[in-house]
Amino acid sequence: MEEVDEVVEENAEFLEESDEDGGVTAQSVLQDIENAWLNEKFAPEILPHQSDAVECMLQQISHMEDNMKSLGKGSMKSLIHQMEINRIRFIISSYLRCRLEKIEQYAMHILTEEAQRGREDGYLSSDELRFAKDYLSSIELLFRTLALQHMPNVLQKFEIETMTVKPNIHAHVFLRANKRITGIIVPGTVDEEVDFEEGSQHIVQYSAVADLVKNGDIQLI
Amino acid sequence: MDPNEVEFLGEKQLVSIVPNFNFDMIHLISGSIGPFRAGLPVKIPIWLAINLKQQHKCRIIGQEWMDVEDLKNIKEEEKKSKVFTKMPSNHYMDEVHMLLGAASDDIPNADEIRTAVKDIWDIRMSKLRTSINAFLKSEGTHAKLDHLTAMEINNVRPLLPHALDQMVRLQQIGQASATADSREESQNMSSI
Amino acid sequence: MSLCSSYKPNYFSIDDILATEERLSCKVLQKVPRLGFMDHSSESKDLKPGTKLELSFWLAYSMNKSKDPIASIDIPKYYKESYREILNADACAIELSKWNTYFYEFGLHVAKFDHPDCEKLPELLLKTFKSRFRLVMDWAQNQDTNPMIASQLPMLERTIFLSGRKSKEQLVYWFKIGGGGIKTTELIANHKKRKRSTFIENER
């Protein structure tokens, strides 16, 4: 009976040891993933991936499930753990699905941007990168086979410049400030400079706060 | 985001229950809960509370703020105030909906609570519509929304953000068209 | 829950393609050989100067672009001064889709012409949109509104109205039925079991 809880505590210790900051728990990783899920849902562009957190959580779930087998299927404890696992799974799937959708919609744009970042700073995980490339070449093949090859030579070129679909970074988002932030420039007919108090909520153009979302100072809601 | 997802987030909130069984602490990934002692109140997440209630394993006490008098006071405050007042919970609407849906027999004055909360919701929604109108008439493209709860914000999504997006787009293109450069511009006409 | 982004025309945007199909009155200024077929009333092989034609925006724009244009254009009447007065008086009372379904989008394209009437056009579009938004929002938030009313709105407003209405319907449904939560479909549940074992395999 105690095994499952031991596993969770072991994993928690494992996290604490392996992270330089210390004090990282399974609970905080879960919260990070939830925050990442919300940010990804509401941000118009694709955000830096959280694969480390996702992998860590999937491992936790996996160990938990393995150990639950010994508990017996009907036991209340295993049912409760299973419910929680389902909830976590939902968040992770929704998060990954949201990212895949963005990759499909903005494939060309995302790959161009990724190419300009170093491998370390890439926004896509290696699996996502592979998916994006495969997807784009499939689309190119489709266009070519279906339409382009039948057109006069002059029009056959796959014009990357004009065909790239870009996300609307001026889209408006709802957000909450996690700490006091000063000097945010809100674009408009006249650019305005505003400060956000800790805990305050706002609606503003995403472009004004993109960096702050990526570094965690702002949470999209 | 749809209401189910807002509710999903709301389900994480803790609520007091009284179990009718005994059990040790359970260490969930999202935190530890328990121990469960029959007859003694304990706080657990709403998603679990509702499940246990459905299995007849507990009685739900409800949140401290689910009190008819308190809610009536909140309603009066909201009516008087021009801005949005702080609600007892960021998920007051969905918590009431879930808890009263599952345990209206456990929570006293369930119907009155429901009515009071619905009234508060209506007052706030009407206030929101008026402020949106005022906001749009002004030149601003940024607004403060303190004390608005998750479900309320979701109610104006995507209507408000999309309308604002279009206004920004109309404005930007208007400014671009005013300059001579755009005349000579691209052969691709659909690149707005 | 899929990505829900507001309208932003791109290369593939069908609405934008349709908006550029909208027609304008044009007058041919130069003789254009072998395009006589475009004028149905004339027998000639060539397009004669002085001919009046209705052309789609994309063609009219190309013909008007250079310093020595092939054709001159006439701004559609609903973007002109007299109609502007009507809009300023009460924009909400007008059934804009009757003037043009692509009122806003087409207007933005038309604003690109080098024509005195075009200077104030974007400003007019913005002002009209702002004053009509209240109408759109009220219609969307009110459950009793007949959804067919959407056809009275131009495309840009219609999209916003329909998305607002859909979110309202979801909320009303949620109020009535109550959560019920998010459930895994059977298809995914079985699929997941396979995938998880592959994941664990790869891990090792």
Side-chain angles (χ1 to χ4, degrees):
Chain A
M1 273 286 191
E2 302 306 320
E3 289 152 2
V4 178
D5 301 331
E6 271 170 18
V7 171
V8 175
E9 292 190 37
E10 267 168 32
N11 277 333
E13 283 164 17
F14 161 72
L15 284 165
E16 281 185 45
E17 282 163 8
S18 59
D19 194 338
E20 279 149 25
D21 301 298
V24 171
T25 59
Q27 193 176 11
S28 69
V29 172
L30 182 56
Q31 189 59 51
D32 287 344
I33 292 181
E34 198 180 280
N35 293 341
W37 172 54
L38 289 172
N39 279 342
E40 200 70 61
K41 229 188 209 305
F42 300 124
E45 60 171 353
I46 201 164
L47 298 174
H49 70 89
Q50 305 291 324
S51 308
D52 294 339
V54 170
E55 270 169 39
C56 165
M57 192 53 50
L58 287 174
Q59 263 174 16
Q60 292 264 313
I61 292 179
S62 195
H63 285 137
M64 187 80 96
E65 281 182 320
D66 285 341
N67 282 296
M68 261 161 51
K69 285 184 192 144
S70 62
L71 283 177
K73 237 189 153 192
S75 87
M76 181 170 87
K77 199 162 188 179
S78 76
L79 284 173
I80 294 178
H81 279 294
Q82 188 60 54
M83 275 195 276
E84 192 193 30
I85 288 175
N86 287 342
R87 288 177 62 88
I88 298 174
R89 271 231 179 86
F90 167 72
I91 297 179
I92 294 180
S93 311
S94 191
Y95 170 66
L96 294 174
R97 242 182 296 131
C98 184
R99 289 177 64 84
L100 286 180
E101 218 180 308
K102 283 184 189 174
I103 291 175
E104 286 189 1
Q105 258 203 19
Y106 307 123
M108 256 193 254
H109 173 80
I110 289 179
L111 285 172
T112 323
E113 299 261 299
E114 275 299 277
Q116 289 169 2
R117 296 183 193 118
R119 205 51 219 109
E120 295 298 306
D121 304 321
Y123 283 10
L124 266 53
S125 67
S126 31
D127 287 330
E128 287 171 343
L129 191 58
R130 205 180 337 132
F131 172 77
K133 288 182 179 160
D134 288 345
Y135 181 80
L136 190 58
S137 54
S138 301
I139 292 281
E140 283 182 8
L141 184 62
L142 177 71
F143 279 179
R144 218 173 287 287
T145 340
L146 219 53
L148 287 178
Q149 70 179 2
H150 304 294
M151 293 194 187
N153 268 329
V154 128
L155 294 169
Q156 274 197 18
K157 195 164 145 258
F158 202 78
E159 288 174 16
I160 296 189
E161 293 309 309
T162 48
M163 288 191 188
T164 308
V165 180
K166 293 191 187 158
N168 180 13
I169 56 162
H170 298 295
H172 284 76
V173 290
F174 291 101
L175 61 91
R176 179 172 43 238
N178 289 332
K179 56 184 232 216
R180 182 156 202 281
I181 307 169
T182 53
I184 297 179
I185 314 262
V186 176
T189 34
V190 177
D191 285 354
E192 224 187 296
E193 193 176 303
V194 288
D195 298 335
F196 289 171
E197 294 304 315
E198 182 178 339
S200 59
Q201 298 178 159
H202 304 261
I203 181 170
V204 81
Q205 283 183 46
Y206 174 76
S207 51
V209 296
D211 291 330
L212 296 164
V213 173
K214 291 174 195 169
N215 74 13
D217 288 344
I218 277 183
Q219 174 67 46
L220 298 183
I221 55 176
Chain B
M1 193 168 225
D2 62 43
N4 283 326
E5 287 170 326
V6 178
E7 193 185 70
F8 178 81
L9 289 171
E11 284 175 335
K12 285 194 321 167
Q13 306 287 326
L14 298 178
V15 70
S16 289
I17 60 141
V18 175
N20 56 21
F21 60 94
N22 291 322
F23 214 83
D24 296 328
M25 273 194 109
I26 302 181
H27 299 286
L28 293 174
I29 294 176
S30 45
S32 301
I33 50 173
F36 296 84
R37 300 278 170 262
L40 291 179
V42 65
K43 280 202 168 197
I44 58 173
I46 293 181
W47 57 266
L48 184 54
I50 293 188
N51 190 274
L52 289 177
K53 168 75 186 173
Q54 283 166 348
Q55 294 177 57
H56 304 293
K57 288 203 155 86
C58 75
R59 182 168 57 89
I60 296 186
I61 297 177
Q63 307 288 31
E64 278 138 22
W65 49 265
M66 286 186 186
D67 167 270
V68 185
E69 281 314 305
D70 288 346
L71 288 171
K72 284 196 174 145
N73 287 337
I74 293 176
K75 185 168 94 176
E76 291 312 309
E77 279 304 311
E78 193 65 51
K79 266 194 202 159
K80 280 189 288 193
S81 164
K82 260 206 194 141
V83 296
F84 294 96
T85 64
K86 189 162 164 52
M87 286 285 109
S89 159
N90 191 31
H91 288 270
Y92 78 93
M93 197 63 197
D94 24 323
E95 282 180 48
V96 163
H97 190 72
M98 287 187 281
L99 294 173
L100 292 185
S104 53
D105 48 337
D106 291 343
I107 299 174
N109 306 314
D111 283 335
E112 285 180 48
I113 293 178
R114 240 192 221 116
T115 320
V117 165
K118 188 76 181 27
D119 288 343
I120 295 173
W121 170 268
D122 287 337
I123 295 169
R124 286 167 69 94
M125 284 292 99
S126 154
K127 219 186 257 184
L128 186 55
R129 272 195 293 277
T130 324
S131 3
I132 289 177
N133 278 318
F135 168 51
L136 292 178
K137 291 217 162 67
S138 75
E139 284 303 308
T141 53
H142 146 251
K144 213 154 177 264
L145 312 158
D146 287 350
H147 307 314
L148 270 185
T149 66
M151 196 58 96
E152 291 160 347
I153 290 177
N154 202 51
N155 197 25
V156 289
R157 199 174 1 226
L159 208 59
L160 181 60
H162 282 197
L164 288 172
D165 293 346
Q166 294 312 316
M167 284 181 217
V168 163
R169 196 170 67 93
L170 288 171
Q171 207 160 51
Q172 277 178 349
I173 295 168
Q175 284 171 348
S177 293
T179 63
D181 300 300
S182 61
R183 300 273 174 268
E184 258 71 61
E185 217 180 63
S186 56
Q187 296 152 341
N188 183 10
M189 276 161 277
S190 52
S191 61
I192 296 177
Chain C
M1 168 82 201
S2 57
L3 274 185
C4 186
S5 27
S6 54
Y7 177 68
K8 182 181 176 240
N10 56 57
Y11 185 77
F12 299 102
S13 156
I14 302 272
D15 281 318
D16 191 55
I17 294 173
L18 290 173
T20 51
E21 276 293 311
E22 294 292 316
R23 292 171 172 241
L24 295 167
S25 275
C26 301
K27 193 161 91 174
V28 179
L29 296 174
Q30 301 176 26
K31 177 169 155 204
V32 188
R34 298 189 301 190
L35 282 188
F37 66 88
M38 291 183 74
D39 182 9
H40 298 298
S41 58
S42 123
E43 296 279 310
S44 143
K45 212 174 56 163
D46 307 327
L47 204 56
K48 296 206 177 78
T51 321
K52 285 215 163 152
L53 289 175
E54 291 264 311
L55 293 178
S56 290
F57 168 81
W58 55 267
L59 186 54
Y61 188 69
S62 307
M63 290 198 161
N64 185 260
K65 224 169 56 165
S66 62
K67 287 207 178 87
D68 190 19
I70 302 174
S72 71
I73 48 100
D74 193 23
I75 306 291
K77 58 181 184 210
Y78 39 80
Y79 295 133
K80 284 191 173 159
E81 195 58 46
S82 49
Y83 279 70
R84 210 171 291 182
E85 295 298 316
I86 303 178
L87 283 174
N88 283 333
D90 185 7
C92 295
I94 320 266
E95 203 178 307
L96 268 191
S97 58
K98 278 226 168 78
W99 289 9
N100 191 323
T101 312
Y102 293 98
F103 182 77
Y104 295 103
E105 294 310 302
F106 186 45
L108 286 175
H109 284 301
V110 166
K112 291 182 198 161
F113 284 120
D114 201 359
H115 193 285
D117 277 338
C118 292
E119 273 169 29
K120 292 254 173 88
L121 189 47
E123 200 184 297
L124 168 73
L125 295 173
L126 180 60
K127 194 161 165 221
T128 312
F129 183 82
K130 269 192 184 179
S131 42
R132 284 174 61 93
F133 176 67
R134 171 147 215 171
L135 185 71
V136 174
M137 183 168 79
D138 286 345
W139 280 1
Q141 299 249 306
N142 185 356
Q143 295 153 250
D144 299 325
T145 324
N146 181 0
M148 301 313 283
I149 221 165
S151 56
Q152 285 182 26
L153 297 169
M155 185 281 291
L156 199 65
E157 292 171 357
R158 196 181 310 170
T159 331
I160 295 180
F161 167 75
L162 289 172
S163 60
R165 194 184 167 77
K166 182 163 169 235
S167 83
K168 181 72 184 176
E169 280 173 1
Q170 283 176 339
L171 188 68
V172 168
Y173 183 77
W174 177 80
F175 271 138
K176 273 207 200 116
I177 307 296
I182 297 159
K183 293 183 177 53
T184 340
T185 62
E186 251 181 64
L187 183 71
I188 304 295
N190 292 328
H191 185 63
K192 246 192 326 215
K193 283 173 187 148
R194 268 204 319 275
K195 280 288 178 184
R196 210 190 84 234
S197 52
T198 329
F199 173 78
I200 295 174
E201 281 296 304
N202 291 341
E203 279 264 83
R204 297 191 192 122

